[in-house]
């Protein structure tokens, strides 16, 4: 067998590796300005540790701001700032803000990342240069350029970051398949590089690696559930949780790694770490729902279902009760985090808690319709679902009234649509006028916020359409509209998926209520 002498970069890129005379760097790496590991002796395969030690990254300096961006440097920095203010840390966390902003100013930021970042956040800019462009249209050219520049043979942190950004762009456009592919590539690369243990030159680099790894793990949960595929990322017990946000933002690129320092308290106070803990519960809730719809209900497993729900609810409540006082969901803490520039991240944490709670108990909305009046656990669990929904609606509303806390990332729209269907259940089935009045008020405010979000994100059209489809199911048969089946599972988890009409039951004779009679039918929802 022929002995392989190719360097790591050429082996991973499947390129012919040529060394001239006594050169320590091969010709392809010299031409591509890549870090070369030198010739390999023997035919051993490249290990993950070796790949991580020699990531395939370019060392060449980039031009200041690429001509193809066709935007002034000051505007580029403004748009990058909007990205960090309105998107970063709420749905994903990928960068150290001051370090990356410095790279942008110096012209050394990787172009696939920069173009994708502009594609995500240019829609929020009020700069006159965009006055003639629709908010939705500001994304496509930059996203295409980012995808064109992306080199999937460059197995590196920057490629992972670009893939996550492009996956987020795909999600914002309602392209769940492309989103899943980009996240899958990021997952595979993170595992190939062993990102959590990849050698780092500074404390900033080490913490970014940790945060990106957890971001991929978190995104994989939602993306896989949305397209109905198995998760790719397996949680690793040895992976440290992220450090507290203020400590992370305060790091400088020249700070050395200090492995001996115990930062457990900082990690417990990290908003992102709390998202990770909650996401573990979401995985269990999603698995429970899949099991629920794939198994026929019988007297033998009803008790098991209830025990599972109680166990998962206990996990949620344990999370809430174990929060440090400064992280509890109170108006005072919201204002404090808002003043620190972390208000939207704080909202995202508690938005997740309430959304996961309404998901956990959602199936009881249907079951309570057929249960004996005022009876037992089923009605109690249905009220839990409505309580989580109401808290979610009120939190989003309050965030939009609190400076520095208004959440505008795409997932908010999906959470509000799910919460709105629960409020509709109250309109349809509650016998108490005060509950109906409060539900109607929340629906109207949700509608205002959803319209605002739709101005920025095309995917909100899918959210609106999903709500219309759900409402049509209510019109056909209120008694089955809330049933937990495969259609409902797709509705609850398939954020970027278009919903087909729920034609599983005939229109109930005399039992279909017109939309007007549920007390909430703005004309814009059917335009």
């Amino acid at each position: 067998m022929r002995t392989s002498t190719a360097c790591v970069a050429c082996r991973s890129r499947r390129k012919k590796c040529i060394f001239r005379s006594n050169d320590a760097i091969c010709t392809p790496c010299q031409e591509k300005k890549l870090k070369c590991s030198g010739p390999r002796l023997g035919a051993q395969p490249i290990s993950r540790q070796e790949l991580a030690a020699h990531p395939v990254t370019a060392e060449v300096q980039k031009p200041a701001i690429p001509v193809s961006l066709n935007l002034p440097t000051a505007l580029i920095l403004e748009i990058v700032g909007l990205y960090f203010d309105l998107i970063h840390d709420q749905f994903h966390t990928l960068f150290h803000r001051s370090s990356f902003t410095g790279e942008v100013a110096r012209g050394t930021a990787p172009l696939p990342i920069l173009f994708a970042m502009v594609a995500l956040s240019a829609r929020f800019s009020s700069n006159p240069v965009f006055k003639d462009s629709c908010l939705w249209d500001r994304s496509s050219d930059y996203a295409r350029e980012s995808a064109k520049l992306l080199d999937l043979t460059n197995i590196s942190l920057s490629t992972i970051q670009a893939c996550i950004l492009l996956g987020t762009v795909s999600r914002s456009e309602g392209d769940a398949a492309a989103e899943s592919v980009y996240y899958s590539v990021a997952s595979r690369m993170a595992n190939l590089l062993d990102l959590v243990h990849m050698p780092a030159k500074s404390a900033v680099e080490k913490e970014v690696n940790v945060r990106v790894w957890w971001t991929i793990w978190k995104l994989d949960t939602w993306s896989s559930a949305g397209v109905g595929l198995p998760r790719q990322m397996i949680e690793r017990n040895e992976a440290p949780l992220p450090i507290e946000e203020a400590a992370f933002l305060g790091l400088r690129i020249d700070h050395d790694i200090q492995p001996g320092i115990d930062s457990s308290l900082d990690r417990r106070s990290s908003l992102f770490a709390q998202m990770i803990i909650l996401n573990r519960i979401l995985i269990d809730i999603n698995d429970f729902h899949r099991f629920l719809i794939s198994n026929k209900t019988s007297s033998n497993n009803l008790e098991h279902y209830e025990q599972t729900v109680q166990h998962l609810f206990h996990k949620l409540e344990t999370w809430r009760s174990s929060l440090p006082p400064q992280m509890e969901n109170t108006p005072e803490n919201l204002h404090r985090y808002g003043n620190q520039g972390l208000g939207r991240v704080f909202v995202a944490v508690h938005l997740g808690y309430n959304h996961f709670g309404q998901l956990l108990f959602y199936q009881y909305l249907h079951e309570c319709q057929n249960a004996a009046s005022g009876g037992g656990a089923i009605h109690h669990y249905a009220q839990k679902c409505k309580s989580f929904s109401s808290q979610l609606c009120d939190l989003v509303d309050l965030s939009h009234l609190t400076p520095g806390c208004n959440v505008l990332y795409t997932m908010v729209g999906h959470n509000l649509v799910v919460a709105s269907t629960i409020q509709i259940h109250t309109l349809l089935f509650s016998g108490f006028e005060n509950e109906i009045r409060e539900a109607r008020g929340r629906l109207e405010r949700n509608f205002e916020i959803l319209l605002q979000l739709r101005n920025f994100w095309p995917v909100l059209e899918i959210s609106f359409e999903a709500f219309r489809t759900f409402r049509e199911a209510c019109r056909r048969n209120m008694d089955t509209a809330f049933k937990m089946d495969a259609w409902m599972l797709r509705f609850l988890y398939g954020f970027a998926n278009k919903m087909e009409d729920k034609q599983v039951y005939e229109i109930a004779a005399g039992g279909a209520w017109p939309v007007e009679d549920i007390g909430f039918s703005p004309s814009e929802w059917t335009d």
Side-chain angles (χ1 to χ4, degrees):
M1 179 181 291
R2 183 173 172 267
T3 301
S4 172
T5 59
C7 70
V8 173
C10 289
R11 283 284 298 278
S12 63
R13 296 170 64 239
R14 296 184 180 180
K15 302 294 183 181
K16 185 174 182 180
C17 188
I18 303 173
F19 285 90
R20 301 186 186 280
S21 61
N22 294 322
D23 284 352
I25 301 176
C26 70
T27 301
C29 285
Q30 291 180 37
E31 293 174 350
K32 293 289 186 180
K33 308 296 183 187
L34 299 176
K35 184 183 295 185
C36 186
S37 64
R40 294 171 51 80
L41 299 178
Q44 299 88 354
I46 298 176
S47 67
R48 291 196 306 170
Q49 291 77 15
E50 188 173 7
L51 184 58
H54 297 278
V56 188
T57 54
E59 296 178 330
V60 23
Q61 295 286 308
K62 309 290 190 304
I65 292 293
V67 176
S68 50
L69 265 176
N70 198 29
L71 297 173
T73 302
L75 179 54
I76 294 291
L77 290 169
E78 174 201 317
I79 293 172
V80 169
L82 289 170
Y83 163 79
F84 280 103
D85 287 340
L86 299 175
I87 299 174
H88 193 258
D89 286 333
Q90 297 165 63
F91 195 65
H92 59 234
T93 176
L94 304 173
F95 307 99
H96 182 252
R97 180 167 186 166
S98 61
S99 300
F100 185 82
T101 302
E103 290 181 12
V104 175
R106 293 189 300 272
T108 58
L111 296 187
I113 291 177
L114 189 57
F115 274 102
M117 195 175 286
V118 172
L120 278 173
S121 52
R123 69 195 75 222
F124 297 113
S125 175
S126 58
N127 193 286
V129 74
F130 294 120
K131 63 182 177 65
D132 295 326
S133 61
C134 167
L135 299 185
W136 290 6
D137 294 340
R138 297 180 188 179
S139 170
S140 54
D141 289 344
Y142 302 115
R144 277 195 296 269
E145 189 66 21
S146 173
K148 187 188 303 181
L149 292 168
L150 184 65
D151 180 6
L152 295 182
T153 65
N154 179 6
I155 305 172
S156 64
L157 174 64
S158 64
T159 302
I160 293 171
Q161 292 166 321
C163 283
I164 294 173
L165 290 173
L166 285 170
T168 308
V169 172
S170 300
R171 164 179 285 260
S172 75
E173 300 287 340
D175 190 345
E179 174 202 15
S180 179
V181 169
Y182 278 121
Y183 290 164
S184 296
V185 171
S187 300
R188 180 66 72 182
M189 285 193 181
N191 284 318
L192 279 171
L193 290 172
D194 193 13
L195 196 58
V196 172
H197 299 112
M198 191 166 76
K201 299 176 182 177
S202 67
V204 167
E205 187 177 329
K206 179 178 178 62
E207 181 63 17
V208 166
N209 290 345
V210 169
R211 286 173 170 260
V212 171
W213 192 91
W214 281 116
T215 288
I216 298 169
W217 175 80
K218 187 165 74 80
L219 293 177
D220 181 48
T221 303
W222 273 110
S223 180
S224 298
V227 295
L229 293 175
R231 292 184 292 271
Q232 288 191 308
M233 297 292 287
I234 300 174
E235 183 176 354
R236 300 173 61 171
N237 294 329
E238 76 276 12
L241 290 173
I243 63 174
E244 191 266 335
E245 279 66 32
F248 173 56
L249 293 173
L251 290 176
R252 296 198 311 269
I253 196 66
D254 57 348
H255 281 175
D256 294 331
I257 300 171
Q258 300 180 30
I261 294 180
D262 181 7
S263 54
S264 58
L265 292 177
D266 280 342
R267 296 181 191 277
R268 183 170 179 263
S269 300
S270 164
L271 291 168
F272 187 36
Q274 296 301 332
M275 291 184 188
I276 292 166
I277 296 169
L278 278 172
N279 198 76
R280 292 167 177 159
I281 305 174
L282 172 64
I283 290 174
D284 292 339
I285 294 172
N286 177 247
D287 290 344
F288 168 65
H289 279 155
R290 292 192 176 279
F291 177 80
L292 192 66
I293 67 169
S294 62
N295 290 269
K296 293 182 178 181
T297 302
S298 68
S299 56
N300 294 329
N301 56 28
L302 277 177
E303 183 178 352
H304 172 69
Y305 291 164
E306 185 173 345
Q307 290 174 350
T308 302
V309 169
Q310 290 175 344
H311 173 67
L312 294 174
F313 178 57
H314 176 71
K315 282 189 172 183
L316 281 173
E317 289 309 286
T318 299
W319 174 85
R320 183 186 59 80
S321 62
S322 63
L323 284 176
Q326 71 273 16
M327 299 182 76
E328 293 175 356
N329 183 16
T330 66
E332 295 75 20
N333 284 339
L334 178 63
H335 280 276
R336 184 172 57 81
Y337 273 106
N339 292 334
Q340 295 174 3
L342 295 169
R344 297 181 181 93
V345 189
F346 176 81
V347 173
V349 172
H350 291 281
L351 191 61
Y353 162 75
N354 286 298
H355 181 56
F356 303 162
Q358 69 180 5
L359 289 178
L360 174 60
F361 292 106
Y362 198 95
Q363 63 271 13
Y364 290 102
L365 296 177
H366 170 71
E367 294 183 20
C368 77
Q369 296 167 212
N370 303 312
S373 176
I378 290 178
H379 287 277
H380 174 69
Y381 292 153
Q383 286 304 122
K384 286 287 185 186
C385 182
K386 293 183 179 185
S387 176
F388 277 113
S389 166
S390 297
Q391 291 175 53
L392 187 151
C393 297
D394 294 346
L395 175 60
V396 175
D397 187 15
L398 182 60
S399 80
H400 281 255
L401 299 174
T402 307
C405 297
N406 59 323
V407 282
L408 298 174
Y409 64 102
T410 56
M411 198 67 180
V412 178
H414 174 70
N415 295 352
L416 278 179
V417 165
V418 173
S420 294
T421 65
I422 300 168
Q423 298 300 311
I424 282 180
H425 189 279
T426 297
L427 292 185
L428 290 172
F429 298 104
S430 175
F432 300 98
E433 184 56 38
N434 64 316
E435 291 182 355
I436 294 173
R437 183 174 59 253
E438 291 174 357
R440 184 179 291 114
R442 290 190 177 100
L443 280 167
E444 290 172 350
R445 182 57 181 145
N446 288 355
F447 177 67
E448 294 172 3
I449 296 173
L450 285 166
L451 281 179
Q452 181 183 356
L453 291 170
R454 187 172 67 171
N455 288 334
F456 298 115
W457 306 109
V459 72
L460 263 293
E461 273 298 312
I462 294 179
S463 296
F464 272 75
E465 186 60 37
F467 188 87
R468 294 188 193 105
T469 304
F470 180 86
R471 191 178 61 181
E472 181 62 25
C474 288
R475 292 184 63 177
R476 293 186 174 194
N477 193 333
M478 292 186 305
D479 295 333
T480 60
F482 292 88
K483 183 179 180 180
M484 181 61 73
D485 52 19
W487 185 95
M488 182 58 74
L489 193 70
R490 182 176 169 88
F491 174 79
L492 294 175
Y493 291 93
F495 168 55
N497 291 324
K498 293 183 179 180
M499 295 300 300
E500 67 278 5
D501 191 7
K502 190 178 183 180
Q503 296 181 349
V504 292
Y505 296 101
E506 297 290 335
I507 299 178
W513 289 13
V515 176
E516 291 75 17
D517 288 349
I518 69 171
F520 181 64
S521 56
S523 59
E524 291 88 342
W525 286 79
T526 54
D527 286 348

